[in-house]
Amino acid sequence: MRASILTIGNELLIGQVIDTNSAWLADNLTRLGFEVIKILSIPDSSHAIAQAVNELMLQSDLVISTGGLGPTSDDRTKPTLCDLFGGHLVLHEPSLSLIDQLFRNRGLPLTETNKNQALIPSSCTPILNYHGTAPGMIFRKGNCYLVSLPGVPFEMMNMFTEGVRPFIEQNFSLPAIVQLTVNTFGIPESFLSDKLSDFEKYLEANSITLAYLPSPSGIRLRLNATGNDRSRLSSLLDLAVNELKGLIGENIFGFNDETLPSVVSQKLRGKNATLAVAESCTGGYISHLITQLPGSSDIFKGGIVAYSNETKQSLLGVNHELLINHGAVSKPVVEAMLEGALRVFQCDYAIAVSGIAGPTGASTGKPVGTTWIGVASRETQKVELHTFGNLREVNIQRAAYTVLFLLLKLLK
Amino acid sequence: MRASILTIGNELLIGQVIDTNSAWLADNLTRLGFEVIKILSIPDSSHAIAQAVNELMLQSDLVISTGGLGPTSDDRTKPTLCDLFGGHLVLHEPSLSLIDQLFRNRGLPLTETNKNQALIPSSCTPILNYHGTAPGMIFRKGNCYLVSLPGVPFEMMNMFTEGVRPFIEQNFSLPAIVQLTVNTFGIPESFLSDKLSDFEKYLEANSITLAYLPSPSGIRLRLNATGNDRSRLSSLLDLAVNELKGLIGENIFGFNDETLPSVVSQKLRGKNATLAVAESCTGGYISHLITQLPGSSDIFKGGIVAYSNETKQSLLGVNHELLINHGAVSKPVVEAMLEGALRVFQCDYAIAVSGIAGPTGASTGKPVGTTWIGVASRETQKVELHTFGNLREVNIQRAAYTVLFLLLKLLK
């Protein structure tokens, strides 16, 4: 079954707003067993709406549209759909009473404009909106359904979950879908694909699709199996994951929503151990990645952003001569930062990073991107040199995730 | 002139990734004077790519596509465009040497798969990619240009700015557009719009559009004037900005790309002064916001992420009794953190934050969101209580930007 998503709104076409509705809908439709073939964004224009709806309905079994249902005259979706599917506007009493309730709760008067939100085309099946004024509408043409929802994300999501999903489950017969994401780090995409070329053939023979999703936080591998028998699909994916573990086990750090910060935090929690960070070029970003997670105070003692040589000396006890003889971006200094962090924070594990994030700061033999990273427990230290790229922001991210991956290896 | 955006990638259609490229491109194309008429996302399928390119090129003067240029077999954009526009794949030497350089910098071998990234259709004009392996490609058919860029956001953005924008400015004759963004902080959207209701009427009478762009880092007000005479448009906007300064001057902290961290850093640089940060609930995020900016070592001495009471005592010298009597989230503790930061880092200005980011940690009289923020110079201190909301991530962001705004007032 094929589905399309249509997002309507001038704000999308001028780039004022990032379209988050589409990804949310695409994820939900995919999980229901649809193949999403197109996501289209168009302005609030009757002509554009009519054209897009006609076109997408010819190509799909289901079209979900969002947006253009507001009470102001620049919102064109409802009148256009009424023209397109026929019928006339009728008052939908249950929607009116919800709207009335909404305004009473907010202590606001119910104006004529707001009342008109409860008018819907007689040709549609309405969907109640418990969080806003615009009801949803389901239309049918031939074998295709069009569902029109408001563009406000939480209204749309609630209506999809409460009203649209049950409708879909009743009216479509969909295949079983099992998905699994394998999260990797420390191997570039091209090396990964070389290593996995036979594996990909194996997947293809078993009708499993594989997608590579690269970012500075690693490459996620998404496996997707579609069929009729959910338990058979699950076993197939389990086998595939075992195969993957044999091929790139060292690079796999987690599955699905797990991230390097979340996996490292879980490992520390499992060991009842604590962590501190001494960072230079990453400037607080590593601490931020860890403290972003709820409950991080269990395992995180704190961090020092040692952005100057003085701070490295005074707060972390890095020896002045080390800094003079080797420079701040050097192995001995990162080693001393690790020792300092363990001592100062009285913790079980430490992270240290010193590098040249750029664009300035390069010197002979130390180009922009040169970064020493290190991790330590009370017993052992691991320090590595990495040379990242030219972009400051990306260098900061790569240094942070690379050192978290190194820590994970130490924690294993 | 009409433009369309085509984003290619299975990850978009299964909702695994939010399409941020489209909004960025739509914003940039709109600023250049294009009317963006469609944003379309399709899977990595030759058939879908060919159909979409043909259709969009018929409707537009410019089509920008992103994605599908990776080295793996699931990436279909390059072979499809080569079929569509004719010619054959040829080696682009300048791209090969950039790729070679990239791998040498990372100390990795250059495999055949990576070398193949430098092959481009003979029918295109290449765009160099300084940050990744896939070159961009410009094709022409009739009066329409198609520009194909990689989907990795930072590669795409750099190539658009360095390669595509100059090409557009040379090859299209576009209307004059003058835009100015006024960046505000510390006033909620509904209050702002009440204060600006007369001003909006004045703008409308002068054909200037106004957009509100709210985020945890403040509300940006974007003024846009379109016409033929650039200097007349500029004067109109200057007048409008003067008007705005009279209405909400205290809340305006900068213009266009200026952010609170960049404006604060500039102010400090202007005074030849230095800053340090003592943060608890913001967990390194304030330090990260400042050190993200190139050259921040001029003004940033460092930071302490004091995530435990022990750290507040040992590193910042916060008195044990203060912590016991008032709790870590209290005015006296933030005052002591400020003093500690000034002393430890020997700097001119300090920032301190202690709060309950959530979801746990609330106590009687201190709900999630309770946050004490403070700033200090050697002579003076300013400490404020704020109560933010329930979302951890947003609380961290709001605390960080609110304290930077407070510091800016102290620096004025």
Side-chain angles (χ1 to χ4, degrees):
Chain A
M1 290 279 165
R2 302 174 131 213
S4 299
I5 297 164
L6 177 65
T7 55
I8 301 166
N10 294 336
E11 69 280 14
L12 300 168
L13 282 299
I14 59 171
Q16 184 170 328
V17 158
I18 291 174
D19 176 11
T20 55
N21 283 349
S22 287
W24 190 90
L25 284 168
D27 181 42
N28 278 273
L29 290 170
T30 304
R31 283 169 200 266
L32 282 167
F34 284 95
E35 180 198 359
V36 179
I37 57 163
K38 275 190 184 178
I39 298 172
L40 177 63
S41 303
I42 53 168
D44 292 296
S45 127
S46 293
H47 177 71
I49 296 170
Q51 199 178 49
V53 165
N54 283 329
E55 209 180 288
L56 294 177
M57 286 187 89
L58 278 177
Q59 300 163 358
S60 327
D61 303 292
L62 173 69
V63 178
I64 310 257
S65 84
T66 67
L69 298 181
T72 52
S73 59
D74 54 343
D75 287 302
R76 305 301 310 150
T77 304
K78 192 161 70 181
T80 306
L81 296 180
C82 193
D83 284 354
L84 212 56
F85 292 93
H88 54 282
L89 290 179
V90 294
L91 185 70
H92 186 237
E93 289 288 353
S95 288
L96 182 61
S97 80
L98 282 177
I99 295 169
D100 185 44
Q101 191 61 46
L102 197 78
F103 278 78
R104 242 185 301 162
N105 286 348
R106 293 184 194 161
L108 297 170
L110 185 64
T111 62
E112 206 54 36
T113 313
N114 292 313
K115 268 189 204 162
N116 288 341
Q117 287 288 79
L119 295 174
I120 56 166
S122 53
S123 47
C124 83
T125 307
I127 306 167
L128 291 172
N129 183 350
Y130 294 94
H131 305 286
T133 60
M137 301 172 283
I138 304 178
F139 298 91
R140 182 174 187 166
K141 196 182 204 169
N143 283 322
C144 179
Y145 287 99
L146 168 77
V147 179
S148 163
L149 299 173
V152 181
F154 76 90
E155 294 180 26
M156 181 281 286
M157 292 175 191
N158 273 289
M159 290 165 82
F160 185 90
T161 308
E162 292 161 20
V164 182
R165 189 182 289 154
F167 175 85
I168 287 173
E169 283 165 343
Q170 224 161 42
N171 289 277
F172 288 86
S173 116
L174 293 159
I177 291 228
V178 182
Q179 284 188 339
L180 191 94
T181 306
V182 180
N183 301 322
T184 74
F185 195 85
I187 179 166
E189 188 173 2
S190 56
F191 288 75
L192 201 53
S193 88
D194 283 350
K195 271 202 169 178
L196 300 185
S197 61
D198 286 342
F199 177 68
E200 291 198 40
K201 281 174 204 143
Y202 161 84
L203 291 182
E204 216 179 318
N206 286 283
S207 304
I208 300 173
T209 62
L210 172 68
Y212 290 73
L213 308 169
S215 82
S217 60
I219 298 174
R220 290 180 298 152
L221 300 171
R222 169 121 150 195
L223 298 161
N224 189 317
T226 309
N228 299 312
D229 182 350
R230 178 171 294 271
S231 70
R232 193 187 142 266
L233 299 176
S234 291
S235 324
L236 266 178
L237 280 196
D238 286 346
L239 283 173
V241 168
N242 273 335
E243 194 78 13
L244 258 184
K245 283 181 180 162
L247 293 165
I248 52 161
E250 280 185 14
N251 298 101
I252 296 174
F253 68 81
F255 299 91
N256 299 324
D257 292 337
E258 292 177 334
T259 62
L260 272 171
S262 80
V263 171
V264 163
S265 301
Q266 271 313 108
K267 277 268 178 224
L268 287 166
R269 206 164 276 126
K271 288 179 186 287
N272 211 7
T274 54
L275 172 70
V277 176
E279 33 188 341
S280 179
C281 66
T282 45
Y285 187 63
I286 300 172
S287 295
H288 169 59
L289 286 179
I290 293 164
T291 58
Q292 218 177 10
L293 303 171
S296 50
S297 53
D298 289 0
I299 52 103
F300 189 64
K301 286 272 205 157
I304 288 172
V305 182
Y307 225 59
S308 65
N309 280 352
E310 300 137 80
T311 311
K312 289 186 185 79
Q313 292 173 56
S314 64
L315 284 175
L316 291 165
V318 177
N319 192 303
H320 180 68
E321 272 146 41
L322 280 185
L323 287 161
I324 298 304
N325 295 339
H326 302 274
V329 180
S330 66
K331 192 178 184 198
V333 166
V334 164
E335 287 169 345
M337 287 168 75
L338 287 170
E339 284 159 28
L342 286 175
R343 190 183 58 247
V344 168
F345 288 98
Q346 292 289 306
C347 53
D348 305 303
Y349 291 89
I351 280 175
V353 174
S354 183
I356 302 157
T360 57
S363 60
T364 323
K366 291 183 183 174
V368 166
T370 303
T371 310
W372 281 95
I373 64 169
V375 297
S377 67
R378 302 259 173 104
E379 296 79 32
T380 175
Q381 257 192 6
K382 268 181 128 172
V383 180
E384 289 181 358
L385 172 65
H386 288 260
T387 309
F388 302 120
N390 287 312
L391 295 174
R392 182 179 182 86
E393 216 181 306
V394 181
N395 287 343
I396 291 172
Q397 291 172 18
R398 290 183 64 187
Y401 286 105
T402 306
V403 80
L404 286 171
F405 187 60
L406 192 63
L407 178 59
L408 186 60
K409 286 199 263 183
L410 185 67
L411 287 167
K412 267 181 180 162
Chain B
M1 291 280 166
R2 300 173 133 213
S4 299
I5 297 165
L6 177 64
T7 54
I8 301 166
N10 294 337
E11 69 278 15
L12 300 168
L13 282 299
I14 60 174
Q16 183 150 5
V17 159
I18 291 173
D19 176 11
T20 55
N21 282 349
S22 286
W24 191 90
L25 283 168
D27 180 42
N28 277 273
L29 291 169
T30 303
R31 282 167 199 263
L32 282 167
F34 284 95
E35 180 197 359
V36 178
I37 57 162
K38 274 190 185 179
I39 298 172
L40 177 61
S41 303
I42 53 166
D44 292 296
S45 127
S46 293
H47 175 73
I49 296 170
Q51 198 178 49
V53 165
N54 283 329
E55 208 180 289
L56 294 177
M57 286 187 88
L58 278 177
Q59 300 163 359
S60 326
D61 302 291
L62 173 69
V63 178
I64 310 258
S65 84
T66 68
L69 299 180
T72 53
S73 58
D74 55 341
D75 288 303
R76 305 302 310 152
T77 304
K78 192 162 70 180
T80 306
L81 296 180
C82 193
D83 284 354
L84 212 58
F85 292 94
H88 54 282
L89 291 180
V90 293
L91 183 71
H92 186 238
E93 289 288 355
S95 287
L96 182 62
S97 80
L98 282 178
I99 295 169
D100 185 44
Q101 192 60 47
L102 198 76
F103 278 77
R104 241 185 299 161
N105 285 348
R106 293 183 194 163
L108 296 170
L110 186 63
T111 63
E112 206 53 37
T113 313
N114 292 313
K115 269 190 202 160
N116 288 342
Q117 287 288 81
L119 295 174
I120 55 166
S122 52
S123 46
C124 84
T125 307
I127 307 166
L128 291 173
N129 183 351
Y130 292 94
H131 306 288
T133 59
M137 301 172 282
I138 304 177
F139 298 90
R140 182 173 187 167
K141 196 179 203 171
N143 282 323
C144 179
Y145 288 99
L146 168 77
V147 179
S148 164
L149 299 174
V152 181
F154 75 89
E155 295 180 25
M156 180 282 287
M157 292 175 190
N158 274 287
M159 289 165 83
F160 185 90
T161 307
E162 292 161 20
V164 181
R165 189 181 290 154
F167 175 85
I168 287 173
E169 283 164 345
Q170 223 161 41
N171 289 277
F172 288 87
S173 119
L174 294 159
I177 290 218
V178 182
Q179 282 191 335
L180 192 99
T181 307
V182 180
N183 302 322
T184 73
F185 195 86
I187 179 168
E189 189 172 1
S190 56
F191 289 76
L192 201 52
S193 86
D194 283 351
K195 270 200 170 178
L196 301 185
S197 61
D198 286 342
F199 177 67
E200 292 199 41
K201 281 175 204 142
Y202 161 84
L203 291 182
E204 214 179 319
N206 286 282
S207 304
I208 300 173
T209 62
L210 172 68
Y212 289 74
L213 311 169
S215 82
S217 60
I219 299 173
R220 291 180 299 149
L221 299 172
R222 182 148 95 197
L223 299 161
N224 189 319
T226 309
N228 299 312
D229 181 350
R230 180 171 292 272
S231 70
R232 193 186 143 266
L233 299 176
S234 292
S235 328
L236 265 179
L237 282 196
D238 286 346
L239 283 173
V241 168
N242 273 334
E243 194 77 13
L244 258 185
K245 282 182 181 162
L247 292 165
I248 53 161
E250 280 186 13
N251 297 99
I252 296 174
F253 68 81
F255 299 91
N256 299 324
D257 292 337
E258 291 178 335
T259 62
L260 273 171
S262 79
V263 171
V264 163
S265 302
Q266 272 312 106
K267 277 269 175 222
L268 288 166
R269 207 164 273 124
K271 287 179 187 287
N272 210 7
T274 55
L275 172 70
V277 176
E279 32 187 341
S280 180
C281 65
T282 45
Y285 187 63
I286 300 173
S287 295
H288 169 59
L289 287 178
I290 293 164
T291 57
Q292 219 176 7
L293 303 170
S296 49
S297 53
D298 289 0
I299 51 104
F300 188 64
K301 285 273 204 154
I304 288 173
V305 182
Y307 223 59
S308 64
N309 280 352
E310 299 136 81
T311 311
K312 289 185 185 80
Q313 292 174 55
S314 64
L315 284 176
L316 290 165
V318 177
N319 192 302
H320 180 68
E321 273 146 43
L322 281 186
L323 286 161
I324 297 303
N325 295 339
H326 300 275
V329 180
S330 66
K331 191 177 186 198
V333 167
V334 165
E335 287 169 346
M337 287 169 74
L338 287 170
E339 284 159 27
L342 285 174
R343 188 182 59 247
V344 168
F345 288 97
Q346 292 289 308
C347 53
D348 305 304
Y349 291 89
I351 279 176
V353 174
S354 183
I356 302 156
T360 58
S363 60
T364 322
K366 290 183 184 174
V368 166
T370 303
T371 311
W372 282 95
I373 64 169
V375 297
S377 67
R378 302 257 173 108
E379 297 80 32
T380 173
Q381 255 191 5
K382 267 181 130 172
V383 179
E384 288 181 357
L385 172 64
H386 288 261
T387 308
F388 302 121
N390 286 312
L391 297 173
R392 182 179 181 85
E393 217 180 306
V394 180
N395 287 343
I396 291 171
Q397 291 172 19
R398 290 183 64 186
Y401 286 105
T402 306
V403 80
L404 286 171
F405 189 60
L406 192 62
L407 178 58
L408 186 61
K409 286 198 264 183
L410 186 67
L411 287 167
K412 267 180 181 162

